[in-house]
CSV table of all heavy atoms in Angstrom, one decimal:
chain,number,residue,atom,x,y,z
Y,1,MET,N,0.9,-1.2,0.0
Y,1,MET,CA,0.0,0.0,0.0
Y,1,MET,C,0.9,1.2,0.0
Y,1,MET,O,1.9,1.3,0.7
Y,1,MET,CB,-0.9,0.0,1.2
Y,1,MET,CG,-2.0,1.0,1.2
Y,1,MET,SD,-3.1,0.8,2.6
Y,1,MET,CE,-4.4,0.1,1.7
Y,2,LYS,N,0.5,2.3,-0.7
Y,2,LYS,CA,1.3,3.5,-0.8
Y,2,LYS,C,0.5,4.6,-0.2
Y,2,LYS,O,-0.7,4.6,-0.1
Y,2,LYS,CB,1.6,3.8,-2.3
Y,2,LYS,CG,2.6,2.8,-2.9
Y,2,LYS,CD,3.0,3.3,-4.3
Y,2,LYS,CE,3.9,2.3,-4.9
Y,2,LYS,NZ,4.3,2.6,-6.2
Y,3,ALA,N,1.2,5.7,0.1
Y,3,ALA,CA,0.5,6.9,0.6
Y,3,ALA,C,1.1,8.1,-0.2
Y,3,ALA,O,2.1,8.0,-0.8
Y,3,ALA,CB,0.8,7.1,2.0
Y,4,LYS,N,0.3,9.2,-0.3
Y,4,LYS,CA,0.7,10.4,-1.0
Y,4,LYS,C,1.0,11.6,-0.1
Y,4,LYS,O,1.9,12.4,-0.4
Y,4,LYS,CB,-0.3,10.8,-2.0
Y,4,LYS,CG,-0.5,9.8,-3.1
Y,4,LYS,CD,-1.4,10.4,-4.2
Y,4,LYS,CE,-1.4,9.4,-5.4
Y,4,LYS,NZ,-2.2,9.9,-6.5
Y,5,ARG,N,0.3,11.7,1.0
Y,5,ARG,CA,0.5,12.8,1.9
Y,5,ARG,C,-0.2,12.6,3.2
Y,5,ARG,O,-0.9,11.6,3.4
Y,5,ARG,CB,0.1,14.1,1.3
Y,5,ARG,CG,-1.3,14.2,0.9
Y,5,ARG,CD,-1.8,15.6,0.4
Y,5,ARG,NE,-0.7,16.3,-0.3
Y,5,ARG,CZ,-1.0,17.3,-1.0
Y,5,ARG,NH1,-2.2,17.7,-1.2
Y,5,ARG,NH2,0.0,18.0,-1.6
Y,6,ALA,N,0.0,13.5,4.2
Y,6,ALA,CA,-0.6,13.3,5.5
Y,6,ALA,C,-2.1,13.5,5.4
Y,6,ALA,O,-2.6,14.1,4.5
Y,6,ALA,CB,-0.1,14.4,6.4
Y,7,CYS,N,-2.8,12.9,6.3
Y,7,CYS,CA,-4.3,13.0,6.3
Y,7,CYS,C,-4.6,14.4,6.9
Y,7,CYS,O,-3.9,15.0,7.6
Y,7,CYS,CB,-4.9,11.9,7.2
Y,7,CYS,SG,-4.6,12.0,8.9
Y,8,PRO,N,-5.8,14.9,6.6
Y,8,PRO,CA,-6.3,16.2,7.0
Y,8,PRO,C,-6.4,16.2,8.6
Y,8,PRO,O,-6.8,15.1,9.1
Y,8,PRO,CB,-7.6,16.4,6.4
Y,8,PRO,CG,-7.7,15.4,5.2
Y,8,PRO,CD,-6.8,14.3,5.6
Y,9,PRO,N,-6.2,17.3,9.2
Y,9,PRO,CA,-6.5,17.4,10.6
Y,9,PRO,C,-8.0,17.3,10.9
Y,9,PRO,O,-8.8,17.6,10.0
Y,9,PRO,CB,-6.0,18.8,11.0
Y,9,PRO,CG,-5.4,19.4,9.9
Y,9,PRO,CD,-5.7,18.5,8.7
Y,10,GLU,N,-8.4,16.8,12.1
Y,10,GLU,CA,-9.8,16.7,12.4
Y,10,GLU,C,-10.5,18.0,12.3
Y,10,GLU,O,-9.9,19.1,12.6
Y,10,GLU,CB,-9.9,16.2,13.9
Y,10,GLU,CG,-9.6,14.8,14.1
Y,10,GLU,CD,-10.7,13.8,13.5
Y,10,GLU,OE1,-11.9,14.2,13.5
Y,10,GLU,OE2,-10.3,12.8,13.0
Y,11,ASP,N,-11.7,18.0,11.9
Y,11,ASP,CA,-12.6,19.2,11.8
Y,11,ASP,C,-12.0,20.3,10.9
Y,11,ASP,O,-12.2,21.5,11.2
Y,11,ASP,CB,-12.9,19.7,13.2
Y,11,ASP,CG,-13.6,18.7,14.1
Y,11,ASP,OD1,-14.4,18.0,13.5
Y,11,ASP,OD2,-13.4,18.7,15.3
Y,12,CYS,N,-11.4,20.0,9.8
Y,12,CYS,CA,-10.8,21.0,8.9
Y,12,CYS,C,-11.8,21.5,7.9
Y,12,CYS,O,-11.5,22.4,7.1
Y,12,CYS,CB,-9.5,20.6,8.3
Y,12,CYS,SG,-9.7,19.3,7.0
Y,13,GLY,N,-13.0,20.8,7.8
Y,13,GLY,CA,-14.0,21.3,6.9
Y,13,GLY,C,-14.1,20.5,5.7
Y,13,GLY,O,-14.5,21.0,4.6
Y,14,GLY,N,-13.8,19.2,5.7
Y,14,GLY,CA,-13.9,18.3,4.6
Y,14,GLY,C,-12.8,18.6,3.5
Y,14,GLY,O,-11.8,19.3,3.8
Y,15,ALA,N,-13.1,18.1,2.3
Y,15,ALA,CA,-12.1,18.2,1.3
Y,15,ALA,C,-11.8,19.7,0.9
Y,15,ALA,O,-10.6,20.1,0.8
Y,15,ALA,CB,-12.6,17.5,0.0
Y,16,TRP,N,-12.9,20.5,0.8
Y,16,TRP,CA,-12.7,21.9,0.4
Y,16,TRP,C,-12.0,22.7,1.6
Y,16,TRP,O,-11.1,23.5,1.3
Y,16,TRP,CB,-14.0,22.6,0.1
Y,16,TRP,CG,-14.7,21.9,-1.1
Y,16,TRP,CD1,-15.9,21.2,-1.0
Y,16,TRP,CD2,-14.2,21.7,-2.4
Y,16,TRP,NE1,-16.1,20.7,-2.3
Y,16,TRP,CE2,-15.1,21.0,-3.1
Y,16,TRP,CE3,-13.0,22.1,-3.1
Y,16,TRP,CZ2,-15.0,20.6,-4.5
Y,16,TRP,CZ3,-12.9,21.8,-4.4
Y,16,TRP,CH2,-13.8,21.1,-5.1
Y,17,GLY,N,-12.4,22.4,2.8
Y,17,GLY,CA,-11.7,23.0,3.9
Y,17,GLY,C,-10.3,22.7,4.1
Y,17,GLY,O,-9.4,23.5,4.4
Y,18,TYR,N,-9.9,21.4,3.7
Y,18,TYR,CA,-8.5,21.0,3.8
Y,18,TYR,C,-7.7,21.7,2.7
Y,18,TYR,O,-6.6,22.2,3.0
Y,18,TYR,CB,-8.4,19.5,3.6
Y,18,TYR,CG,-7.0,18.9,3.7
Y,18,TYR,CD1,-6.2,19.3,4.8
Y,18,TYR,CD2,-6.5,18.1,2.8
Y,18,TYR,CE1,-5.0,18.8,5.0
Y,18,TYR,CE2,-5.2,17.6,2.9
Y,18,TYR,CZ,-4.5,17.9,4.0
Y,18,TYR,OH,-3.2,17.4,4.2
Y,19,LEU,N,-8.3,21.9,1.5
Y,19,LEU,CA,-7.6,22.6,0.5
Y,19,LEU,C,-7.3,24.1,0.9
Y,19,LEU,O,-6.2,24.6,0.7
Y,19,LEU,CB,-8.3,22.6,-0.8
Y,19,LEU,CG,-8.4,21.2,-1.5
Y,19,LEU,CD1,-9.3,21.3,-2.7
Y,19,LEU,CD2,-7.0,20.8,-1.9
Y,20,GLU,N,-8.3,24.7,1.5
Y,20,GLU,CA,-8.1,26.1,2.0
Y,20,GLU,C,-7.1,26.1,3.1
Y,20,GLU,O,-6.2,27.0,3.2
Y,20,GLU,CB,-9.4,26.6,2.6
Y,20,GLU,CG,-9.3,28.1,3.1
Y,20,GLU,CD,-10.6,28.6,3.6
Y,20,GLU,OE1,-11.6,28.0,3.5
Y,20,GLU,OE2,-10.5,29.7,4.2
Y,21,PHE,N,-7.1,25.1,4.0
Y,21,PHE,CA,-6.1,25.0,5.1
Y,21,PHE,C,-4.7,24.9,4.5
Y,21,PHE,O,-3.8,25.6,5.0
Y,21,PHE,CB,-6.5,23.8,6.0
Y,21,PHE,CG,-5.4,23.4,6.9
Y,21,PHE,CD1,-5.2,24.1,8.1
Y,21,PHE,CD2,-4.5,22.3,6.6
Y,21,PHE,CE1,-4.2,23.7,9.0
Y,21,PHE,CE2,-3.5,22.0,7.5
Y,21,PHE,CZ,-3.4,22.7,8.7
Y,22,LEU,N,-4.5,24.0,3.5
Y,22,LEU,CA,-3.2,23.9,2.9
Y,22,LEU,C,-2.7,25.2,2.3
Y,22,LEU,O,-1.5,25.5,2.4
Y,22,LEU,CB,-3.2,22.7,1.9
Y,22,LEU,CG,-3.4,21.3,2.4
Y,22,LEU,CD1,-3.5,20.4,1.2
Y,22,LEU,CD2,-2.3,20.9,3.3
Y,23,GLU,N,-3.6,25.8,1.6
Y,23,GLU,CA,-3.2,27.1,1.0
Y,23,GLU,C,-2.8,28.1,2.0
Y,23,GLU,O,-1.8,28.8,1.9
Y,23,GLU,CB,-4.4,27.6,0.2
Y,23,GLU,CG,-4.2,28.9,-0.6
Y,23,GLU,CD,-5.4,29.4,-1.3
Y,23,GLU,OE1,-6.0,28.5,-2.0
Y,23,GLU,OE2,-5.7,30.6,-1.2
Y,24,ALA,N,-3.6,28.2,3.1
Y,24,ALA,CA,-3.3,29.2,4.1
Y,24,ALA,C,-2.1,28.9,4.9
Y,24,ALA,O,-1.3,29.8,5.2
Y,24,ALA,CB,-4.5,29.4,5.0
Y,25,ILE,N,-1.9,27.6,5.2
Y,25,ILE,CA,-0.7,27.3,6.1
Y,25,ILE,C,0.6,27.4,5.4
Y,25,ILE,O,1.6,27.7,6.0
Y,25,ILE,CB,-0.9,25.8,6.6
Y,25,ILE,CG1,-0.3,25.6,8.0
Y,25,ILE,CG2,-0.5,24.8,5.7
Y,25,ILE,CD1,-1.0,26.2,9.1
Y,26,LYS,N,0.6,27.3,4.1
Y,26,LYS,CA,1.8,27.5,3.3
Y,26,LYS,C,2.1,29.0,2.9
Y,26,LYS,O,3.3,29.2,2.5
Y,26,LYS,CB,1.7,26.7,2.0
Y,26,LYS,CG,1.7,25.2,2.2
Y,26,LYS,CD,1.6,24.4,1.0
Y,26,LYS,CE,1.6,22.9,1.2
Y,26,LYS,NZ,1.4,22.2,0.0
Y,27,ASP,N,1.2,29.8,3.1
Y,27,ASP,CA,1.4,31.2,2.7
Y,27,ASP,C,1.2,32.2,3.9
Y,27,ASP,O,0.1,32.5,4.4
Y,27,ASP,CB,0.3,31.6,1.7
Y,27,ASP,CG,0.4,33.0,1.2
Y,27,ASP,OD1,1.3,33.8,1.6
Y,27,ASP,OD2,-0.5,33.4,0.4
Y,28,PRO,N,2.4,32.7,4.4
Y,28,PRO,CA,2.3,33.6,5.6
Y,28,PRO,C,1.5,34.8,5.4
Y,28,PRO,O,1.1,35.5,6.3
Y,28,PRO,CB,3.8,33.9,5.9
Y,28,PRO,CG,4.6,32.8,5.2
Y,28,PRO,CD,3.7,32.4,4.1
Y,29,GLN,N,1.3,35.2,4.1
Y,29,GLN,CA,0.5,36.4,3.8
Y,29,GLN,C,-1.0,36.1,3.7
Y,29,GLN,O,-1.8,37.1,3.6
Y,29,GLN,CB,1.0,37.0,2.5
Y,29,GLN,CG,2.5,37.4,2.5
Y,29,GLN,CD,2.8,38.4,3.6
Y,29,GLN,OE1,2.1,39.3,3.8
Y,29,GLN,NE2,3.9,38.1,4.3
Y,30,HIS,N,-1.4,34.9,3.7
Y,30,HIS,CA,-2.8,34.5,3.7
Y,30,HIS,C,-3.5,35.0,4.9
Y,30,HIS,O,-3.0,34.9,6.0
Y,30,HIS,CB,-2.9,33.0,3.6
Y,30,HIS,CG,-4.3,32.5,3.2
Y,30,HIS,ND1,-5.3,32.5,4.1
Y,30,HIS,CD2,-4.8,32.1,2.1
Y,30,HIS,CE1,-6.4,32.0,3.5
Y,30,HIS,NE2,-6.1,31.8,2.3
Y,31,PRO,N,-4.7,35.6,4.7
Y,31,PRO,CA,-5.4,36.2,5.9
Y,31,PRO,C,-5.7,35.2,7.0
Y,31,PRO,O,-5.9,35.6,8.2
Y,31,PRO,CB,-6.8,36.7,5.3
Y,31,PRO,CG,-6.7,36.5,3.8
Y,31,PRO,CD,-5.4,35.8,3.5
Y,32,GLU,N,-5.8,33.9,6.7
Y,32,GLU,CA,-6.1,32.9,7.7
Y,32,GLU,C,-4.9,32.1,8.2
Y,32,GLU,O,-5.0,31.2,9.1
Y,32,GLU,CB,-7.1,31.9,7.2
Y,32,GLU,CG,-8.5,32.4,6.9
Y,32,GLU,CD,-9.2,32.9,8.2
Y,32,GLU,OE1,-9.0,32.2,9.2
Y,32,GLU,OE2,-9.8,33.9,8.1
Y,33,HIS,N,-3.7,32.5,7.7
Y,33,HIS,CA,-2.5,31.8,8.1
Y,33,HIS,C,-2.3,31.7,9.6
Y,33,HIS,O,-2.1,30.6,10.2
Y,33,HIS,CB,-1.3,32.5,7.4
Y,33,HIS,CG,0.0,31.8,7.8
Y,33,HIS,ND1,0.5,30.6,7.2
Y,33,HIS,CD2,1.0,32.1,8.7
Y,33,HIS,CE1,1.6,30.3,7.7
Y,33,HIS,NE2,2.0,31.1,8.6
Y,34,GLU,N,-2.3,32.8,10.3
Y,34,GLU,CA,-2.1,32.8,11.7
Y,34,GLU,C,-3.1,32.0,12.5
Y,34,GLU,O,-2.8,31.3,13.4
Y,34,GLU,CB,-2.1,34.3,12.3
Y,34,GLU,CG,-0.7,35.0,12.0
Y,34,GLU,CD,-0.7,36.3,12.7
Y,34,GLU,OE1,-1.1,36.4,13.9
Y,34,GLU,OE2,-0.1,37.2,12.1
Y,35,ASN,N,-4.4,32.1,12.1
Y,35,ASN,CA,-5.5,31.4,12.7
Y,35,ASN,C,-5.2,29.9,12.6
Y,35,ASN,O,-5.4,29.1,13.6
Y,35,ASN,CB,-6.8,31.7,12.1
Y,35,ASN,CG,-7.3,33.1,12.5
Y,35,ASN,OD1,-6.9,33.6,13.5
Y,35,ASN,ND2,-8.1,33.7,11.7
Y,36,PHE,N,-4.9,29.4,11.4
Y,36,PHE,CA,-4.6,28.0,11.2
Y,36,PHE,C,-3.4,27.6,11.9
Y,36,PHE,O,-3.3,26.5,12.5
Y,36,PHE,CB,-4.5,27.7,9.7
Y,36,PHE,CG,-5.9,27.6,9.0
Y,36,PHE,CD1,-6.1,28.3,7.8
Y,36,PHE,CD2,-6.9,26.8,9.5
Y,36,PHE,CE1,-7.3,28.2,7.2
Y,36,PHE,CE2,-8.1,26.7,8.9
Y,36,PHE,CZ,-8.3,27.4,7.7
Y,37,GLN,N,-2.3,28.4,12.0
Y,37,GLN,CA,-1.1,28.0,12.7
Y,37,GLN,C,-1.4,27.8,14.2
Y,37,GLN,O,-1.0,26.9,14.8
Y,37,GLN,CB,0.0,29.1,12.6
Y,37,GLN,CG,0.8,29.1,11.3
Y,37,GLN,CD,1.7,27.9,11.3
Y,37,GLN,OE1,1.4,27.0,10.5
Y,37,GLN,NE2,2.7,27.8,12.0
Y,38,GLU,N,-2.2,28.7,14.7
Y,38,GLU,CA,-2.6,28.6,16.1
Y,38,GLU,C,-3.5,27.4,16.4
Y,38,GLU,O,-3.3,26.7,17.3
Y,38,GLU,CB,-3.4,29.9,16.5
Y,38,GLU,CG,-3.7,30.0,18.0
Y,38,GLU,CD,-4.4,31.3,18.4
Y,38,GLU,OE1,-3.9,32.3,17.9
Y,38,GLU,OE2,-5.4,31.2,19.1
Y,39,TRP,N,-4.4,27.1,15.4
Y,39,TRP,CA,-5.3,26.0,15.6
Y,39,TRP,C,-4.5,24.7,15.5
Y,39,TRP,O,-4.8,23.8,16.3
Y,39,TRP,CB,-6.4,26.1,14.5
Y,39,TRP,CG,-7.3,24.9,14.4
Y,39,TRP,CD1,-8.2,24.5,15.4
Y,39,TRP,CD2,-7.4,23.9,13.4
Y,39,TRP,NE1,-8.8,23.3,14.9
Y,39,TRP,CE2,-8.3,23.0,13.7
Y,39,TRP,CE3,-6.7,23.8,12.1
Y,39,TRP,CZ2,-8.7,21.9,12.9
Y,39,TRP,CZ3,-7.1,22.8,11.3
Y,39,TRP,CH2,-8.1,21.8,11.7
Y,40,ILE,N,-3.6,24.5,14.6
Y,40,ILE,CA,-2.9,23.3,14.4
Y,40,ILE,C,-1.9,23.0,15.5
Y,40,ILE,O,-1.6,21.9,15.9
Y,40,ILE,CB,-2.2,23.2,13.0
Y,40,ILE,CG1,-1.9,21.7,12.6
Y,40,ILE,CG2,-1.0,24.0,12.9
Y,40,ILE,CD1,-3.1,20.8,12.4
Y,41,GLY,N,-1.4,24.1,16.1
Y,41,GLY,CA,-0.5,24.0,17.3
Y,41,GLY,C,0.8,23.4,17.0
Y,41,GLY,O,1.5,23.1,18.0
Y,42,GLU,N,1.2,23.2,15.8
Y,42,GLU,CA,2.5,22.7,15.5
Y,42,GLU,C,2.8,23.0,14.0
Y,42,GLU,O,2.0,23.4,13.3
Y,42,GLU,CB,2.6,21.2,15.8
Y,42,GLU,CG,1.6,20.4,15.0
Y,42,GLU,CD,1.5,19.0,15.4
Y,42,GLU,OE1,1.0,18.7,16.5
Y,42,GLU,OE2,1.9,18.1,14.6
Y,43,ASN,N,4.0,22.6,13.6
Y,43,ASN,CA,4.3,22.7,12.2
Y,43,ASN,C,3.7,21.5,11.5
Y,43,ASN,O,4.0,20.4,11.8
Y,43,ASN,CB,5.9,22.7,12.0
Y,43,ASN,CG,6.5,24.0,12.5
Y,43,ASN,OD1,5.9,25.0,12.5
Y,43,ASN,ND2,7.7,23.9,12.9
Y,44,PHE,N,2.8,21.8,10.6
Y,44,PHE,CA,2.1,20.8,9.8
Y,44,PHE,C,2.8,20.6,8.5
Y,44,PHE,O,2.9,21.6,7.7
Y,44,PHE,CB,0.6,21.2,9.7
Y,44,PHE,CG,-0.1,20.2,8.9
Y,44,PHE,CD1,-0.6,19.0,9.6
Y,44,PHE,CD2,-0.4,20.3,7.6
Y,44,PHE,CE1,-1.3,18.1,8.9
Y,44,PHE,CE2,-1.2,19.4,6.9
Y,44,PHE,CZ,-1.6,18.2,7.6
Y,45,ASP,N,3.2,19.4,8.2
Y,45,ASP,CA,3.8,19.1,6.9
Y,45,ASP,C,2.9,18.2,6.1
Y,45,ASP,O,2.8,17.0,6.5
Y,45,ASP,CB,5.2,18.5,7.1
Y,45,ASP,CG,5.9,18.2,5.8
Y,45,ASP,OD1,5.3,18.4,4.7
Y,45,ASP,OD2,7.0,17.7,5.9
Y,46,SER,N,2.2,18.8,5.2
Y,46,SER,CA,1.2,18.0,4.4
Y,46,SER,C,1.8,16.9,3.6
Y,46,SER,O,1.1,15.9,3.2
Y,46,SER,CB,0.3,18.9,3.5
Y,46,SER,OG,1.1,19.4,2.5
Y,47,GLU,N,3.1,16.9,3.3
Y,47,GLU,CA,3.7,15.9,2.5
Y,47,GLU,C,4.3,14.8,3.3
Y,47,GLU,O,4.7,13.7,2.8
Y,47,GLU,CB,4.9,16.6,1.7
Y,47,GLU,CG,4.4,17.7,0.8
Y,47,GLU,CD,3.4,17.2,-0.2
Y,47,GLU,OE1,3.5,16.1,-0.8
Y,47,GLU,OE2,2.4,17.9,-0.5
Y,48,PHE,N,4.3,14.9,4.7
Y,48,PHE,CA,4.9,13.9,5.5
Y,48,PHE,C,3.9,12.8,5.9
Y,48,PHE,O,2.7,13.1,6.2
Y,48,PHE,CB,5.5,14.4,6.8
Y,48,PHE,CG,6.0,13.4,7.8
Y,48,PHE,CD1,7.2,12.8,7.5
Y,48,PHE,CD2,5.2,12.9,8.8
Y,48,PHE,CE1,7.7,11.8,8.4
Y,48,PHE,CE2,5.7,11.9,9.7
Y,48,PHE,CZ,6.9,11.4,9.4
Y,49,TYR,N,4.3,11.5,5.8
Y,49,TYR,CA,3.5,10.4,6.3
Y,49,TYR,C,4.5,9.3,6.7
Y,49,TYR,O,5.6,9.2,6.2
Y,49,TYR,CB,2.5,9.9,5.2
Y,49,TYR,CG,3.2,9.5,3.9
Y,49,TYR,CD1,3.6,8.1,3.8
Y,49,TYR,CD2,3.5,10.3,2.9
Y,49,TYR,CE1,4.2,7.7,2.6
Y,49,TYR,CE2,4.1,9.9,1.7
Y,49,TYR,CZ,4.5,8.6,1.6
Y,49,TYR,OH,5.1,8.2,0.5
Y,50,ASP,N,4.0,8.5,7.5
Y,50,ASP,CA,4.8,7.3,8.0
Y,50,ASP,C,4.0,6.1,7.6
Y,50,ASP,O,3.1,5.7,8.3
Y,50,ASP,CB,5.0,7.4,9.5
Y,50,ASP,CG,5.8,6.3,10.1
Y,50,ASP,OD1,6.0,5.2,9.4
Y,50,ASP,OD2,6.3,6.4,11.2
Y,51,LEU,N,4.4,5.5,6.4
Y,51,LEU,CA,3.6,4.4,5.9
Y,51,LEU,C,3.6,3.2,6.8
Y,51,LEU,O,2.6,2.5,6.9
Y,51,LEU,CB,4.2,4.0,4.5
Y,51,LEU,CG,3.4,3.0,3.7
Y,51,LEU,CD1,2.0,3.5,3.5
Y,51,LEU,CD2,4.1,2.7,2.4
Y,52,GLN,N,4.7,3.0,7.5
Y,52,GLN,CA,4.7,1.8,8.4
Y,52,GLN,C,3.7,2.0,9.6
Y,52,GLN,O,3.0,1.1,9.9
Y,52,GLN,CB,6.1,1.7,9.0
Y,52,GLN,CG,6.3,0.5,9.9
Y,52,GLN,CD,7.7,0.3,10.4
Y,52,GLN,OE1,8.6,1.1,10.1
Y,52,GLN,NE2,7.9,-0.7,11.2
Y,53,GLU,N,3.6,3.3,10.1
Y,53,GLU,CA,2.6,3.6,11.2
Y,53,GLU,C,1.2,3.4,10.6
Y,53,GLU,O,0.3,2.9,11.3
Y,53,GLU,CB,2.9,4.9,11.7
Y,53,GLU,CG,1.9,5.3,12.9
Y,53,GLU,CD,2.2,6.7,13.4
Y,53,GLU,OE1,3.2,7.2,13.3
Y,53,GLU,OE2,1.2,7.2,14.1
Y,54,ILE,N,1.0,3.9,9.4
Y,54,ILE,CA,-0.4,3.8,8.8
Y,54,ILE,C,-0.8,2.4,8.7
Y,54,ILE,O,-1.9,2.0,9.1
Y,54,ILE,CB,-0.4,4.6,7.5
Y,54,ILE,CG1,-0.2,6.1,7.6
Y,54,ILE,CG2,-1.7,4.3,6.7
Y,54,ILE,CD1,0.1,6.8,6.4
Y,55,ASN,N,0.1,1.6,8.2
Y,55,ASN,CA,-0.2,0.1,8.0
Y,55,ASN,C,-0.4,-0.6,9.3
Y,55,ASN,O,-1.3,-1.4,9.4
Y,55,ASN,CB,0.9,-0.5,7.2
Y,55,ASN,CG,0.8,-0.2,5.7
Y,55,ASN,OD1,-0.3,0.1,5.2
Y,55,ASN,ND2,1.9,-0.2,5.0
Y,56,GLN,N,0.3,-0.2,10.3
Y,56,GLN,CA,0.2,-0.8,11.6
Y,56,GLN,C,-1.2,-0.4,12.2
Y,56,GLN,O,-1.9,-1.3,12.7
Y,56,GLN,CB,1.3,-0.3,12.6
Y,56,GLN,CG,1.2,-0.9,14.0
Y,56,GLN,CD,2.3,-0.4,14.9
Y,56,GLN,OE1,3.2,0.2,14.4
Y,56,GLN,NE2,2.1,-0.7,16.2
Y,57,GLN,N,-1.6,0.8,12.1
Y,57,GLN,CA,-2.9,1.3,12.6
Y,57,GLN,C,-4.0,0.5,11.8
Y,57,GLN,O,-5.1,0.2,12.4
Y,57,GLN,CB,-3.1,2.8,12.5
Y,57,GLN,CG,-2.2,3.5,13.5
Y,57,GLN,CD,-2.3,5.0,13.3
Y,57,GLN,OE1,-3.1,5.5,12.5
Y,57,GLN,NE2,-1.6,5.7,14.1
Y,58,LEU,N,-3.9,0.4,10.5
Y,58,LEU,CA,-4.9,-0.3,9.7
Y,58,LEU,C,-5.0,-1.8,10.1
Y,58,LEU,O,-6.1,-2.4,10.2
Y,58,LEU,CB,-4.6,-0.2,8.2
Y,58,LEU,CG,-4.8,1.1,7.6
Y,58,LEU,CD1,-4.3,1.2,6.2
Y,58,LEU,CD2,-6.3,1.5,7.7
Y,59,ALA,N,-3.9,-2.4,10.4
Y,59,ALA,CA,-3.9,-3.8,10.8
Y,59,ALA,C,-4.5,-4.0,12.2
Y,59,ALA,O,-5.1,-5.1,12.4
Y,59,ALA,CB,-2.4,-4.3,10.9
Y,60,GLU,N,-4.5,-3.0,13.1
Y,60,GLU,CA,-5.1,-3.1,14.4
Y,60,GLU,C,-6.6,-2.8,14.4
Y,60,GLU,O,-7.2,-3.1,15.3
Y,60,GLU,CB,-4.3,-2.1,15.3
Y,60,GLU,CG,-2.9,-2.5,15.6
Y,60,GLU,CD,-2.1,-1.5,16.4
Y,60,GLU,OE1,-2.7,-0.4,16.8
Y,60,GLU,OE2,-1.0,-1.7,16.7
Y,61,ALA,N,-7.0,-2.2,13.3
Y,61,ALA,CA,-8.5,-1.8,13.2
Y,61,ALA,C,-9.4,-3.0,13.0
Y,61,ALA,O,-9.0,-4.0,12.5
Y,61,ALA,CB,-8.7,-0.8,12.2
């Protein structure tokens, strides 16, 4: 099984909300950048994933 990127954070607003989140989090000039940075509480890397951890969680489900 392969992965492409990290999963969306909880309550980000579905697919469209996640796209807005990604746009804002990558652009310090975006009007919502600070709000999303505060909400996520950490550096969010949408490209990072741990395939081994994902597969382990799926096996346990």
Side-chain angles (χ1 to χ4, degrees):
M1 189 173 259
K2 294 183 179 180
K4 290 189 177 184
R5 57 174 36 162
C7 68
E10 286 289 326
D11 299 328
C12 71
W16 301 117
Y18 185 50
L19 291 175
E20 181 181 353
F21 168 79
L22 290 176
E23 182 181 314
I25 208 76
K26 292 178 182 180
D27 180 5
Q29 301 303 315
H30 191 283
E32 293 296 321
H33 179 80
E34 281 188 39
N35 290 334
F36 282 129
Q37 277 294 107
E38 186 176 316
W39 174 66
I40 198 69
E42 60 188 68
N43 290 331
F44 180 80
D45 182 358
S46 65
E47 300 301 317
F48 176 78
Y49 60 91
D50 183 339
L51 188 56
Q52 185 175 1
E53 182 180 340
I54 293 168
N55 285 332
Q56 181 179 349
Q57 289 178 1
L58 288 171
E60 293 171 1

